[in-house]
Amino acid sequence: MDFLRPFRGNPNLKRVGEVIDFEAWHIEEISKCAQDPIYFIEHYCKIISLDRGEILFKLYDCQKRKVSQILDDRFVLDMESRQSGKTQTAAACILWYTVFNDMKNVAILANKAAAAREVLARVRFMYERMPKWLQHGVVTWNKGDIELENGSKIFTAATSASAVTGRSCSWVYVDEAALVPNNLAEEFFTSAWPTISSGKTTKFLMSTTPRGYNFFWKFWNDSEQGLNDFTRVLITWDEIPGRDEKWLAEQKSILGELKFNQEVLCAFLGSSGTLINADKIAQLSPIQPLFSKDGLDVLEYPFRGDKEAKQPAHIYMMTVDVSRGIGGDYSAFTVVDITQSPYKIVAKYRNNHVSDLLYPNIIHKVATDYNHAYVLVEIKENGQHVADILTNELEYDNVMYVTRGQGGQHITPGFGGRTASVQTGVMTSAQVKRIGCSTLKTLVEESKLLINDVDIISEISTFIETKGSFAADEGYHDDLVMTLVLFSWASTSPYFKDLTNVNMREKIFQSRMDEISNSMTPFGFIRTAADDEQNKLKDSAGNEWYYGEAKEMIDQIGWLLK
């Protein structure tokens, strides 16, 4: 009869409806396995040993500790040295979870779908070698997903925004999490994390060997500071039996310094060939923002002076990078306190969906709140459009002008406005980038520019030498770093040094106010509610916006600094 035949001709799999004659000891073993995952793994899960072939999975003490923590806690970060069995142990935990719990959906994710299927292959291997009296009937058995008769399912996918969309997950496992590019990780967590974290029993596990200052590092760092609900598992090289100082020396010789530190010592290091020295990057420590909303993170509120203490208002400078606002690269700016050395980053903005029509208003609001900060805009592509709105339509007085000549570009007070040789911002030429990168390296490594933002540190760790210049490593972004490159370039200008003198600053500000107060035409943002339906604003990408939409976004961000 059909129900007596094995599933799809595989004699190792139990078919739905297949009858098993249970004996008393079977029931006792099933009960014991259900109550003790470690017992189940060591007595019924088999793995492949390179030396001995197919063997039972005998856990090391550190792996027993990990199994208990993975299955007892909901949100777990697992960081281990290379070749320590982290994926194998996770696969065994997933197998126990699906066999001894009904109606559970487990998602196995990795940077590539093939890598996720490799994890499932280990689960399948273990299941096929379990005795049939311990199995459930198999409903689905594919390379990418399986379903058991008890209603539990396991499926695989690459980590992306749509990885678990529309699927109810009891447990999400991300294998080699540090290999997932930051942009994909951000999309995934933005879309999936609210669903996962909203449940009362849902679980989330990330295991990896560290690969740098990426999103896994951010979760690990936040966990250390008590800023999230994740617990940490750290298994070091010397917890694996058979590894001694001789083994350690061999690994260092084979892997080289960088990979050895990351993959064996579990050190968070950046990519190779970074602009900033790796030792200095390791010393950078992020702090929690005082305020965070819609891409704006405030690390320190503006200091507007203290008359009693005779402390003048601080001086701030904002450097702005502009994207196309359609996803991908980010529009970004950083606000730096330049009152005195060392300079300090006090705020940053990063958003890859903001329209270039709304972006100038955000810049204007934040810059105004930071004591009318000086604003330097990178004017490639949509940057010129943003700079023009700031100066001509929003009439912001402290946009920095740049002259062009045979000697390159130079910051100028810009009296008289934009001309053929004076532009409202800077174009990132090879010379500007070379000077900016060199100066940024000096400022950071000599602690003359203090960086405490998690996203900036992450970008610095992957800002590498490539084709004679510096840019983001593959799969990463450098928008925030480039704002600091522009700031560093600007800091070499004689005019920049004048800005830190309060009397000079007031003189320049008043002079520019007098010269341009009657020369600018207001932009059509100020409309009544009755005009909204009749008047639309169109940005350079062709997107239409109502005034009310623009005002709502600016108001959401703008109120925080009042």
Side-chain angles (χ1 to χ4, degrees):
M1 292 182 290
D2 285 346
F3 72 86
L4 294 179
R5 294 206 310 268
F7 181 82
R8 292 184 181 176
N10 187 336
N12 296 319
L13 294 178
K14 180 182 176 182
R15 192 181 184 92
V16 173
E18 184 174 344
V19 177
I20 299 292
D21 292 327
F22 286 99
E23 298 181 19
W25 72 273
H26 288 151
I27 305 301
E28 292 177 2
E29 281 294 288
I30 292 173
S31 177
K32 194 169 185 178
C33 289
Q35 296 175 22
D36 190 346
I38 294 175
Y39 178 86
F40 165 74
I41 293 171
E42 292 199 316
H43 287 79
Y44 295 103
C45 291
K46 290 187 176 181
I47 60 174
I48 294 294
S49 167
L50 295 178
D51 298 323
R52 293 180 290 164
E54 186 177 305
I55 61 172
L56 283 171
F57 191 178
K58 294 299 182 180
L59 298 168
Y60 305 136
D61 289 342
C62 59
Q63 292 173 332
K64 292 178 182 179
R65 169 170 55 87
K66 181 175 73 171
V67 169
S68 297
Q69 195 162 348
I70 286 176
L71 294 174
D72 290 345
D73 296 337
R74 289 185 60 197
F75 307 128
V76 178
L77 303 172
D78 172 35
M79 184 165 66
E80 305 182 30
S81 63
R82 69 195 308 260
Q83 299 299 314
S84 57
K86 56 183 174 297
T87 301
Q88 199 77 271
T89 310
C93 289
I94 290 171
L95 178 60
W96 178 88
Y97 183 77
T98 51
V99 168
F100 296 102
N101 290 279
D102 296 339
M103 307 300 293
K104 297 296 184 181
N105 287 350
V106 178
I108 298 176
L109 309 179
N111 62 317
K112 296 181 180 180
R117 289 194 294 268
E118 173 59 27
V119 181
L120 182 61
R122 302 189 187 205
V123 177
R124 285 158 43 104
F125 181 89
M126 293 177 187
Y127 193 86
E128 288 177 346
R129 281 146 185 83
M130 285 167 46
K132 284 192 176 181
W133 54 263
L134 198 54
Q135 294 184 12
H136 297 285
V138 175
V139 178
T140 303
W141 195 260
N142 298 318
K143 291 183 178 180
D145 60 289
I146 65 175
E147 181 179 355
L148 303 180
E149 194 175 7
N150 68 342
S152 290
K153 303 176 184 178
I154 306 174
F155 69 92
T156 62
T159 307
S160 67
S162 59
V164 296
T165 301
R167 308 185 77 157
S168 176
C169 293
S170 309
W171 189 4
V172 174
Y173 168 56
V174 182
D175 183 50
E176 291 295 355
L179 293 180
V180 180
N182 274 8
N183 56 330
L184 296 181
E186 290 175 1
E187 292 175 0
F188 168 72
F189 276 99
T190 299
S191 63
W193 183 247
T195 301
I196 297 167
S197 60
S198 62
K200 295 183 179 179
T201 61
T202 48
K203 297 171 65 65
F204 193 93
L205 168 65
M206 287 191 283
S207 70
T208 192
T209 299
R211 291 294 191 280
Y213 296 85
N214 49 26
F215 86 102
F216 179 83
W217 163 75
K218 183 179 185 301
F219 274 86
W220 187 274
N221 183 75
D222 285 352
S223 176
E224 288 183 324
Q225 299 183 43
L227 300 176
N228 61 35
D229 294 328
F230 279 86
T231 57
R232 301 178 307 283
V233 176
L234 174 62
I235 296 180
T236 56
W237 68 272
D238 54 349
E239 293 185 80
I240 307 299
R243 296 184 176 180
D244 53 18
E245 294 297 331
K246 181 181 177 181
W247 177 89
L248 192 67
E250 289 175 350
Q251 293 300 308
K252 188 172 184 178
S253 174
I254 293 170
L255 297 173
E257 188 76 23
L258 177 65
K259 287 190 175 181
F260 171 78
N261 288 333
Q262 287 189 143
E263 299 185 17
V264 178
L265 301 185
C266 290
F268 285 108
L269 299 174
S271 303
S272 59
T274 52
L275 172 67
I276 308 300
N277 182 277
D279 291 338
K280 183 61 183 182
I281 296 175
Q283 297 172 16
L284 300 178
S285 179
I287 62 175
Q288 188 71 1
L290 299 175
F291 179 90
S292 183
K293 186 178 179 65
D294 297 331
L296 177 66
D297 289 331
V298 175
L299 303 176
E300 185 176 293
Y301 290 118
F303 183 77
R304 298 194 171 95
D306 186 339
K307 292 183 179 180
E308 293 184 1
K310 296 183 179 180
Q311 293 178 323
H314 284 198
I315 306 167
Y316 300 96
M317 179 175 176
M318 176 190 291
T319 43
V320 180
D321 187 57
V322 184
S323 75
R324 289 181 291 176
I326 55 175
D329 288 340
Y330 289 80
S331 286
F333 63 69
T334 49
V335 182
V336 182
D337 187 337
I338 62 172
T339 309
Q340 61 185 5
S341 181
Y343 307 129
K344 179 167 45 176
I345 295 173
V346 295
K348 76 108 181 335
Y349 178 80
R350 184 171 180 261
N351 190 320
N352 63 347
H353 288 94
V354 64
S355 163
D356 61 345
L357 182 66
L358 303 181
Y359 194 29
N361 292 267
I362 297 171
I363 296 168
H364 181 273
K365 175 58 185 172
V366 176
T368 300
D369 285 344
Y370 274 96
N371 299 345
H372 294 272
Y374 291 92
V375 176
L376 179 64
V377 182
E378 209 290 327
I379 56 175
K380 69 177 180 181
E381 298 180 355
N382 293 353
Q384 186 64 70
H385 180 58
V386 168
D388 287 344
I389 292 176
L390 277 172
T391 53
N392 300 331
E393 298 168 359
L394 298 180
E395 298 186 353
Y396 188 71
D397 300 299
N398 280 354
V399 173
M400 303 183 81
Y401 288 77
V402 174
T403 59
R404 301 188 306 273
Q406 292 183 348
Q409 300 176 80
H410 304 280
I411 297 176
T412 175
F415 300 141
R418 181 179 171 187
T419 65
S421 61
V422 178
Q423 57 199 24
T424 51
V426 60
M427 182 68 71
T428 306
S429 63
Q431 181 188 45
V432 168
K433 189 171 184 180
R434 183 175 64 253
I435 295 172
C437 286
S438 176
T439 307
L440 177 60
K441 180 178 177 66
T442 300
L443 290 174
V444 175
E445 292 183 359
E446 295 184 5
S447 299
K448 294 179 180 178
L449 174 62
L450 305 182
I451 299 175
N452 294 311
D453 176 77
V454 64
D455 293 318
I456 297 176
I457 295 173
S458 178
E459 286 194 11
I460 285 175
S461 74
T462 55
F463 192 62
I464 63 171
E465 185 177 5
T466 174
K467 298 180 181 179
S469 184
F470 286 88
D473 201 353
E474 184 177 358
Y476 297 90
H477 295 281
D478 61 8
D479 310 283
L480 287 167
V481 173
M482 285 307 301
T483 66
L484 297 183
V485 169
L486 295 180
F487 168 79
S488 301
W489 169 80
S491 72
T492 65
S493 167
Y495 179 68
F496 176 88
K497 297 178 177 62
D498 290 338
L499 299 183
T500 60
N501 182 295
V502 175
N503 292 332
M504 175 65 77
R505 180 174 180 269
E506 292 177 350
K507 180 179 179 181
I508 294 172
F509 179 78
Q510 187 59 51
S511 177
R512 290 194 59 203
M513 285 283 290
D514 293 341
E515 291 200 22
I516 68 175
S517 60
N518 297 318
S519 62
M520 302 298 184
T521 302
F523 188 55
F525 259 4
I526 302 179
R527 290 186 166 92
T528 64
D531 294 328
D532 279 355
E533 292 301 322
Q534 299 179 4
N535 298 285
K536 295 180 179 179
L537 308 175
K538 182 176 290 187
D539 62 23
S540 62
N543 300 310
E544 292 184 338
W545 303 78
Y546 291 109
Y547 163 71
E549 292 174 321
K551 183 178 184 299
E552 180 181 359
M553 178 176 286
I554 303 307
D555 286 348
Q556 285 180 348
I557 292 178
W559 64 267
L560 74 142
L561 297 178
K562 292 181 179 178

